[in-house]
Amino acid sequence: MCIQVPIEFYNPPSAILASGSKLGVELGGTKAIVSIDNLHNLHSEGNIFTELSWGAFYQEEGLEDQIDTFETKEFDSVREDPDALIKTIIDSIYNIINNQKLFYGIVDFEVDAFLNQNTVIPGLKLDYLIINKLLDAHKKTRDKELFPKIMSDAKGTKKITVEFQGKKKKILHIMGNKLEDLADILRFANGFATGIVCTSRGAANLYVLSDNIVFEEDIIPDLHIDEENLAIIELGIQRELLFPISWFRIDLGIKSLETLELWDEIKDHPKLNKALARYEKYITSLVYKKFQMMASTEKIGTDFEDDFYEMSLAERRKALRDMAEAIRKLTDEYKK
Protein backbone atom coordinates (compact mmCIF):
# COMPACT_ATOMS: atom_id res chain seq x y z
CA MET A 1 0.00 0.00 0.00
CA CYS A 2 1.36 3.40 -1.05
CA ILE A 3 1.28 5.98 1.73
CA GLN A 4 0.66 9.54 0.58
CA VAL A 5 3.04 11.94 2.29
CA PRO A 6 2.99 15.75 2.39
CA ILE A 7 4.74 17.53 -0.44
CA GLU A 8 6.59 20.83 -0.57
CA PHE A 9 5.46 23.80 -2.65
CA TYR A 10 8.53 25.88 -3.52
CA ASN A 11 8.17 29.65 -3.99
CA PRO A 12 4.40 29.27 -3.50
CA PRO A 13 2.02 31.93 -4.87
CA SER A 14 1.43 34.82 -2.51
CA ALA A 15 -2.28 34.17 -2.07
CA ILE A 16 -1.83 30.70 -0.55
CA LEU A 17 0.09 32.40 2.24
CA ALA A 18 -2.38 35.26 2.64
CA SER A 19 -2.90 36.17 6.27
CA GLY A 20 -4.84 38.51 8.51
CA SER A 21 -5.21 39.77 12.04
CA LYS A 22 -7.69 41.66 14.18
CA LEU A 23 -6.61 44.79 12.28
CA GLY A 24 -7.30 43.58 8.74
CA VAL A 25 -6.94 40.93 6.05
CA GLU A 26 -5.13 40.32 2.79
CA LEU A 27 -7.46 40.25 -0.21
CA GLY A 28 -6.86 39.39 -3.85
CA GLY A 29 -5.55 36.47 -5.84
CA THR A 30 -2.74 34.77 -7.72
CA LYS A 31 -2.59 32.75 -10.94
CA ALA A 32 0.66 30.94 -11.67
CA ILE A 33 2.25 28.30 -13.89
CA VAL A 34 3.38 25.41 -11.68
CA SER A 35 5.70 22.46 -12.31
CA ILE A 36 6.20 19.13 -10.54
CA ASP A 37 9.47 17.30 -9.90
CA ASN A 38 10.26 13.60 -9.55
CA LEU A 39 9.62 13.78 -5.78
CA HIS A 40 6.11 15.14 -6.39
CA ASN A 41 7.03 18.59 -5.06
CA LEU A 42 5.51 21.65 -6.73
CA HIS A 43 7.37 24.72 -7.99
CA SER A 44 6.10 28.13 -9.13
CA GLU A 45 7.49 28.77 -12.62
CA GLY A 46 5.77 31.85 -13.95
CA ASN A 47 3.40 34.44 -12.56
CA ILE A 48 0.30 35.18 -14.65
CA PHE A 49 -0.99 37.69 -12.15
CA THR A 50 -0.75 38.57 -8.49
CA GLU A 51 -3.06 41.16 -7.01
CA LEU A 52 -2.97 41.50 -3.22
CA SER A 53 -4.30 44.32 -1.07
CA TRP A 54 -4.55 44.91 2.66
CA GLY A 55 -8.10 45.53 3.82
CA ALA A 56 -8.05 47.38 7.13
CA PHE A 57 -11.05 46.87 9.45
CA TYR A 58 -12.94 49.71 11.09
CA GLN A 59 -11.60 50.29 14.56
CA GLU A 60 -15.03 51.00 15.97
CA GLU A 61 -17.17 48.79 18.18
CA GLY A 62 -19.63 46.77 16.12
CA LEU A 63 -17.76 47.33 12.86
CA GLU A 64 -14.63 45.33 13.62
CA ASP A 65 -15.23 42.85 10.75
CA GLN A 66 -16.02 45.40 8.04
CA ILE A 67 -13.40 46.76 5.66
CA ASP A 68 -12.62 50.46 6.08
CA THR A 69 -9.70 51.05 3.67
CA PHE A 70 -7.73 49.17 0.99
CA GLU A 71 -4.02 49.43 0.33
CA THR A 72 -2.30 47.69 -2.60
CA LYS A 73 0.51 45.44 -1.35
CA GLU A 74 1.50 43.59 -4.51
CA PHE A 75 0.55 43.91 -8.16
CA ASP A 76 2.19 42.02 -11.03
CA SER A 77 0.28 40.88 -14.11
CA VAL A 78 0.85 39.71 -17.69
CA ARG A 79 -2.63 38.33 -18.29
CA GLU A 80 -3.66 41.28 -20.47
CA ASP A 81 -0.30 41.73 -22.24
CA PRO A 82 0.10 39.17 -25.09
CA ASP A 83 3.85 39.63 -25.53
CA ALA A 84 4.59 39.45 -21.80
CA LEU A 85 2.30 36.44 -21.40
CA ILE A 86 3.99 34.60 -24.27
CA LYS A 87 7.42 35.28 -22.74
CA THR A 88 6.25 34.03 -19.32
CA ILE A 89 4.93 30.78 -20.82
CA ILE A 90 8.03 30.20 -22.98
CA ASP A 91 10.45 30.91 -20.13
CA SER A 92 8.47 28.57 -17.85
CA ILE A 93 8.48 25.74 -20.39
CA TYR A 94 12.22 25.90 -21.04
CA ASN A 95 12.97 26.20 -17.33
CA ILE A 96 10.85 23.07 -16.71
CA ILE A 97 12.70 21.13 -19.42
CA ASN A 98 16.17 22.30 -18.38
CA ASN A 99 15.56 21.36 -14.74
CA GLN A 100 13.97 17.98 -15.53
CA LYS A 101 10.51 18.74 -14.21
CA LEU A 102 7.03 18.54 -15.74
CA PHE A 103 4.35 21.09 -16.53
CA TYR A 104 1.88 20.47 -13.69
CA GLY A 105 -0.73 23.08 -14.55
CA ILE A 106 -2.05 26.56 -13.84
CA VAL A 107 -3.00 27.24 -10.23
CA ASP A 108 -5.37 29.93 -8.94
CA PHE A 109 -5.66 31.01 -5.32
CA GLU A 110 -8.33 33.59 -4.47
CA VAL A 111 -8.44 35.30 -1.09
CA ASP A 112 -11.54 37.15 0.05
CA ALA A 113 -11.52 36.26 3.77
CA PHE A 114 -14.85 34.57 2.91
CA LEU A 115 -16.47 38.01 3.10
CA ASN A 116 -17.94 37.50 -0.38
CA GLN A 117 -21.24 35.63 -0.51
CA ASN A 118 -20.55 34.76 -4.16
CA THR A 119 -17.71 32.27 -4.50
CA VAL A 120 -14.97 33.74 -6.68
CA ILE A 121 -13.60 30.47 -8.10
CA PRO A 122 -15.17 29.37 -11.43
CA GLY A 123 -16.53 25.84 -11.19
CA LEU A 124 -17.25 25.91 -7.44
CA LYS A 125 -20.61 26.80 -5.92
CA LEU A 126 -21.42 26.59 -2.23
CA ASP A 127 -24.51 27.30 -0.13
CA TYR A 128 -24.59 30.66 1.69
CA LEU A 129 -24.77 28.85 5.03
CA ILE A 130 -21.41 27.20 4.27
CA ILE A 131 -19.92 30.55 3.27
CA ASN A 132 -21.05 32.05 6.58
CA LYS A 133 -19.42 29.19 8.51
CA LEU A 134 -16.20 29.77 6.57
CA LEU A 135 -16.43 33.49 7.36
CA ASP A 136 -16.72 32.82 11.09
CA ALA A 137 -13.89 30.28 10.97
CA HIS A 138 -11.64 32.69 9.08
CA LYS A 139 -12.16 35.25 11.84
CA LYS A 140 -10.92 32.69 14.38
CA THR A 141 -7.93 32.02 12.15
CA ARG A 142 -7.12 35.74 12.14
CA ASP A 143 -7.64 36.18 15.86
CA LYS A 144 -5.39 33.20 16.68
CA GLU A 145 -2.88 33.93 13.89
CA LEU A 146 -3.00 30.35 12.62
CA PHE A 147 -1.97 30.97 9.02
CA PRO A 148 0.70 28.66 7.50
CA LYS A 149 4.28 29.71 8.05
CA ILE A 150 6.83 30.13 5.29
CA MET A 151 9.87 27.88 5.61
CA SER A 152 13.15 27.83 3.71
CA ASP A 153 15.34 24.98 2.52
CA ALA A 154 19.14 24.82 2.85
CA LYS A 155 19.51 27.16 -0.14
CA GLY A 156 17.13 29.72 1.33
CA THR A 157 14.33 28.93 -1.11
CA LYS A 158 10.87 29.67 0.30
CA LYS A 159 8.50 26.72 0.63
CA ILE A 160 5.35 25.55 2.34
CA THR A 161 4.09 22.07 3.17
CA VAL A 162 1.02 21.05 1.16
CA GLU A 163 -1.42 18.14 1.45
CA PHE A 164 -4.35 17.26 -0.82
CA GLN A 165 -7.50 15.96 0.85
CA GLY A 166 -10.66 14.21 -0.37
CA LYS A 167 -11.78 11.24 -2.45
CA LYS A 168 -10.07 12.64 -5.54
CA LYS A 169 -6.81 13.74 -3.90
CA LYS A 170 -4.78 11.35 -6.08
CA ILE A 171 -5.72 13.29 -9.19
CA LEU A 172 -3.63 16.17 -7.83
CA HIS A 173 -1.07 14.29 -5.74
CA ILE A 174 0.01 12.27 -8.74
CA MET A 175 1.60 8.97 -7.84
CA GLY A 176 4.67 7.51 -9.52
CA ASN A 177 8.17 6.39 -8.64
CA LYS A 178 9.97 8.22 -11.45
CA LEU A 179 9.59 11.34 -13.56
CA GLU A 180 8.73 9.04 -16.47
CA ASP A 181 5.70 7.71 -14.55
CA LEU A 182 4.44 11.23 -13.85
CA ALA A 183 4.99 12.20 -17.50
CA ASP A 184 2.91 9.25 -18.66
CA ILE A 185 0.02 10.33 -16.40
CA LEU A 186 0.20 14.07 -17.06
CA ARG A 187 0.64 14.06 -20.84
CA PHE A 188 -3.11 13.73 -21.53
CA ALA A 189 -4.36 15.44 -18.35
CA ASN A 190 -7.36 17.69 -18.92
CA GLY A 191 -9.80 19.47 -16.63
CA PHE A 192 -9.76 21.28 -13.30
CA ALA A 193 -10.24 20.79 -9.58
CA THR A 194 -11.58 23.37 -7.13
CA GLY A 195 -11.82 23.58 -3.38
CA ILE A 196 -10.79 25.28 -0.17
CA VAL A 197 -7.35 25.74 1.37
CA CYS A 198 -7.34 25.14 5.13
CA THR A 199 -4.48 25.25 7.57
CA SER A 200 -3.91 22.34 9.93
CA ARG A 201 -0.78 21.17 11.76
CA GLY A 202 1.27 23.82 9.99
CA ALA A 203 0.41 22.58 6.49
CA ALA A 204 -1.76 24.08 3.77
CA ASN A 205 -4.43 21.43 3.16
CA LEU A 206 -6.15 21.65 -0.23
CA TYR A 207 -9.60 20.07 0.10
CA VAL A 208 -10.88 19.04 -3.34
CA LEU A 209 -14.63 19.77 -3.52
CA SER A 210 -15.27 19.45 -7.26
CA ASP A 211 -13.36 18.25 -10.31
CA ASN A 212 -13.70 17.08 -13.89
CA ILE A 213 -10.11 15.94 -14.46
CA VAL A 214 -9.40 13.06 -16.83
CA PHE A 215 -6.14 11.46 -17.95
CA GLU A 216 -7.20 10.13 -21.34
CA GLU A 217 -7.15 11.84 -24.70
CA ASP A 218 -10.42 12.74 -26.40
CA ILE A 219 -12.50 12.10 -23.25
CA ILE A 220 -15.08 14.74 -22.31
CA PRO A 221 -14.82 15.23 -18.53
CA ASP A 222 -17.82 15.27 -16.19
CA LEU A 223 -17.97 17.42 -13.07
CA HIS A 224 -17.85 15.50 -9.77
CA ILE A 225 -18.81 16.97 -6.39
CA ASP A 226 -17.31 15.64 -3.15
CA GLU A 227 -20.05 16.35 -0.60
CA GLU A 228 -18.31 14.10 1.94
CA ASN A 229 -15.19 16.27 1.86
CA LEU A 230 -17.30 19.36 2.47
CA ALA A 231 -18.81 17.64 5.53
CA ILE A 232 -15.29 16.85 6.76
CA ILE A 233 -14.34 20.51 6.44
CA GLU A 234 -17.43 21.57 8.40
CA LEU A 235 -16.66 19.08 11.16
CA GLY A 236 -13.02 20.11 11.28
CA ILE A 237 -14.03 23.76 11.58
CA GLN A 238 -16.52 23.00 14.36
CA ARG A 239 -13.81 21.14 16.31
CA GLU A 240 -11.31 23.93 15.58
CA LEU A 241 -8.98 21.50 13.81
CA LEU A 242 -9.22 23.22 10.42
CA PHE A 243 -9.00 26.93 9.65
CA PRO A 244 -9.94 28.14 6.14
CA ILE A 245 -7.58 30.42 4.23
CA SER A 246 -8.57 30.72 0.59
CA TRP A 247 -10.19 29.19 -2.49
CA PHE A 248 -8.20 27.29 -5.09
CA ARG A 249 -8.57 26.07 -8.64
CA ILE A 250 -6.01 23.88 -10.40
CA ASP A 251 -6.21 23.36 -14.17
CA LEU A 252 -4.06 20.31 -14.75
CA GLY A 253 -1.55 19.58 -17.51
CA ILE A 254 -0.19 21.48 -20.50
CA LYS A 255 -3.75 21.89 -21.84
CA SER A 256 -4.38 24.26 -18.92
CA LEU A 257 -2.81 26.96 -21.11
CA GLU A 258 -6.02 26.89 -23.16
CA THR A 259 -7.90 28.35 -20.17
CA LEU A 260 -5.97 31.62 -20.36
CA GLU A 261 -8.06 34.60 -21.46
CA LEU A 262 -5.65 35.52 -24.25
CA TRP A 263 -5.07 31.96 -25.50
CA ASP A 264 -6.91 32.38 -28.80
CA GLU A 265 -4.86 35.50 -29.46
CA ILE A 266 -1.45 33.98 -28.71
CA LYS A 267 -1.81 30.29 -29.57
CA ASP A 268 -0.40 30.63 -33.10
CA HIS A 269 2.71 32.60 -32.10
CA PRO A 270 5.77 30.91 -33.72
CA LYS A 271 8.05 31.06 -30.66
CA LEU A 272 5.30 29.75 -28.39
CA ASN A 273 4.59 26.86 -30.76
CA LYS A 274 8.30 26.09 -30.92
CA ALA A 275 8.46 25.90 -27.11
CA LEU A 276 5.34 23.73 -26.97
CA ALA A 277 6.77 21.40 -29.64
CA ARG A 278 9.99 21.16 -27.64
CA TYR A 279 8.03 20.26 -24.51
CA GLU A 280 6.02 17.66 -26.44
CA LYS A 281 9.25 16.06 -27.62
CA TYR A 282 10.66 16.18 -24.08
CA ILE A 283 7.65 14.52 -22.43
CA THR A 284 7.34 11.99 -25.27
CA SER A 285 10.96 10.96 -24.77
CA LEU A 286 10.27 10.38 -21.06
CA VAL A 287 7.25 8.20 -21.79
CA TYR A 288 9.14 6.33 -24.49
CA LYS A 289 11.94 5.69 -21.99
CA LYS A 290 9.41 4.27 -19.51
CA PHE A 291 7.91 1.84 -21.99
CA GLN A 292 11.34 0.91 -23.34
CA MET A 293 12.41 -0.09 -19.82
CA MET A 294 9.17 -2.01 -19.23
CA ALA A 295 9.65 -3.91 -22.47
CA SER A 296 13.33 -4.64 -21.79
CA THR A 297 12.78 -8.37 -22.26
CA GLU A 298 12.38 -7.65 -25.95
CA LYS A 299 15.37 -5.88 -27.46
CA ILE A 300 14.48 -2.52 -29.01
CA GLY A 301 17.16 -1.48 -31.47
CA THR A 302 18.50 1.98 -32.15
CA ASP A 303 16.98 1.92 -35.64
CA PHE A 304 13.51 1.66 -34.11
CA GLU A 305 14.28 4.53 -31.74
CA ASP A 306 15.48 6.70 -34.63
CA ASP A 307 12.33 5.86 -36.59
CA PHE A 308 10.20 6.76 -33.57
CA TYR A 309 11.54 10.31 -33.37
CA GLU A 310 11.09 10.77 -37.11
CA MET A 311 7.36 10.10 -36.76
CA SER A 312 4.81 12.91 -36.78
CA LEU A 313 3.31 14.02 -33.47
CA ALA A 314 0.10 12.03 -34.15
CA GLU A 315 2.11 8.93 -35.13
CA ARG A 316 4.25 9.13 -31.97
CA ARG A 317 1.15 9.41 -29.78
CA LYS A 318 -0.43 6.41 -31.46
CA ALA A 319 2.78 4.41 -31.10
CA LEU A 320 2.95 5.20 -27.39
CA ARG A 321 -0.73 4.33 -26.90
CA ASP A 322 -0.21 1.00 -28.68
CA MET A 323 2.91 0.30 -26.63
CA ALA A 324 1.12 1.20 -23.39
CA GLU A 325 -1.82 -1.06 -24.24
CA ALA A 326 0.53 -3.94 -25.02
CA ILE A 327 2.32 -3.48 -21.69
CA ARG A 328 -1.01 -3.41 -19.83
CA LYS A 329 -2.18 -6.61 -21.49
CA LEU A 330 1.09 -8.36 -20.69
CA THR A 331 0.83 -7.16 -17.06
CA ASP A 332 -2.75 -8.46 -16.78
CA GLU A 333 -1.72 -11.83 -18.20
CA TYR A 334 1.22 -11.99 -15.80
CA LYS A 335 -1.06 -11.31 -12.80
CA LYS A 336 -3.36 -14.15 -13.84
Side-chain angles (χ1 to χ4, degrees), residues 14-15 18-20 24-30 50-56 67 69-76 111-113 115:
S14 301
S19 61
V25 290
E26 287 185 313
L27 304 168
T30 301
T50 296
E51 301 172 359
L52 282 178
S53 299
W54 178 258
I67 302 296
T69 61
F70 291 91
E71 178 185 355
T72 300
K73 292 186 60 178
E74 187 177 352
F75 180 83
D76 182 19
V111 188
D112 62 357
L115 297 169

Side-chain angles (χ1 to χ4, degrees), residues 47 101 138 142 155 158 187 228 233 242-243 329:
N47 181 63
K101 294 181 285 188
H138 193 273
R142 300 194 302 266
K155 297 180 181 179
K158 293 180 180 179
R187 63 194 175 113
E228 182 179 317
I233 294 174
L242 294 178
F243 300 89
K329 288 182 178 179

Side-chain angles (χ1 to χ4, degrees), residues 39-218:
L39 298 176
H40 310 99
N41 295 318
L42 303 178
H43 304 256
S44 290
E45 296 290 346
N47 181 63
I48 305 298
F49 75 85
T50 296
E51 301 172 359
L52 282 178
S53 299
W54 178 258
F57 293 129
Y58 281 98
Q59 297 302 301
E60 300 177 24
E61 187 175 351
L63 299 175
E64 298 91 341
D65 295 328
Q66 296 186 33
I67 302 296
D68 180 17
T69 61
F70 291 91
E71 178 185 355
T72 300
K73 292 186 60 178
E74 187 177 352
F75 180 83
D76 182 19
S77 176
V78 299
R79 63 177 171 179
E80 297 176 352
D81 184 336
D83 293 334
L85 179 58
I86 289 170
K87 184 179 186 306
T88 296
I89 296 172
I90 291 174
D91 289 348
S92 297
I93 288 174
Y94 285 124
N95 189 59
I96 288 169
I97 295 171
N98 293 335
N99 289 281
Q100 296 184 307
K101 294 181 285 188
L102 297 171
F103 195 110
Y104 181 74
I106 293 179
V107 177
D108 284 89
F109 292 100
E110 296 289 342
V111 188
D112 62 357
F114 303 98
L115 297 169
N116 187 358
Q117 288 289 335
N118 300 308
T119 314
V120 293
I121 288 290
L124 178 62
K125 293 183 179 180
L126 296 177
D127 186 89
Y128 288 155
L129 293 176
I130 300 298
I131 301 294
N132 287 333
K133 290 180 181 179
L134 293 170
L135 171 61
D136 292 338
H138 193 273
K139 183 179 185 305
K140 293 180 181 178
T141 309
R142 300 194 302 266
D143 292 345
K144 296 184 179 182
E145 299 184 0
L146 295 171
F147 295 94
K149 304 298 181 183
I150 302 175
M151 302 176 289
S152 297
D153 63 10
K155 297 180 181 179
T157 304
K158 293 180 180 179
K159 65 176 183 177
I160 188 170
T161 301
V162 170
E163 293 184 44
F164 293 106
Q165 306 290 349
K167 291 180 180 178
K168 305 296 286 293
K169 60 186 177 184
K170 287 185 179 180
I171 64 173
L172 297 178
H173 188 145
I174 300 169
M175 306 307 292
N177 296 321
K178 298 179 180 179
L179 194 66
E180 294 89 333
D181 297 327
L182 304 182
D184 185 27
I185 296 171
L186 274 173
R187 63 194 175 113
F188 293 137
N190 185 26
F192 66 87
T194 63
I196 301 174
V197 183
C198 295
T199 180
S200 177
R201 303 186 308 276
N205 288 261
L206 277 66
Y207 283 82
V208 182
L209 297 182
S210 65
D211 85 279
N212 66 353
I213 291 175
V214 294
F215 295 96
E216 294 182 57
E217 199 172 22
D218 302 325

Side-chain angles (χ1 to χ4, degrees), residues 288 300-311 316:
Y288 178 85
I300 299 179
T302 56
D303 289 342
F304 178 82
E305 185 170 352
D306 292 339
D307 291 342
F308 177 81
Y309 288 112
E310 289 178 2
M311 294 177 181
R316 288 204 303 267

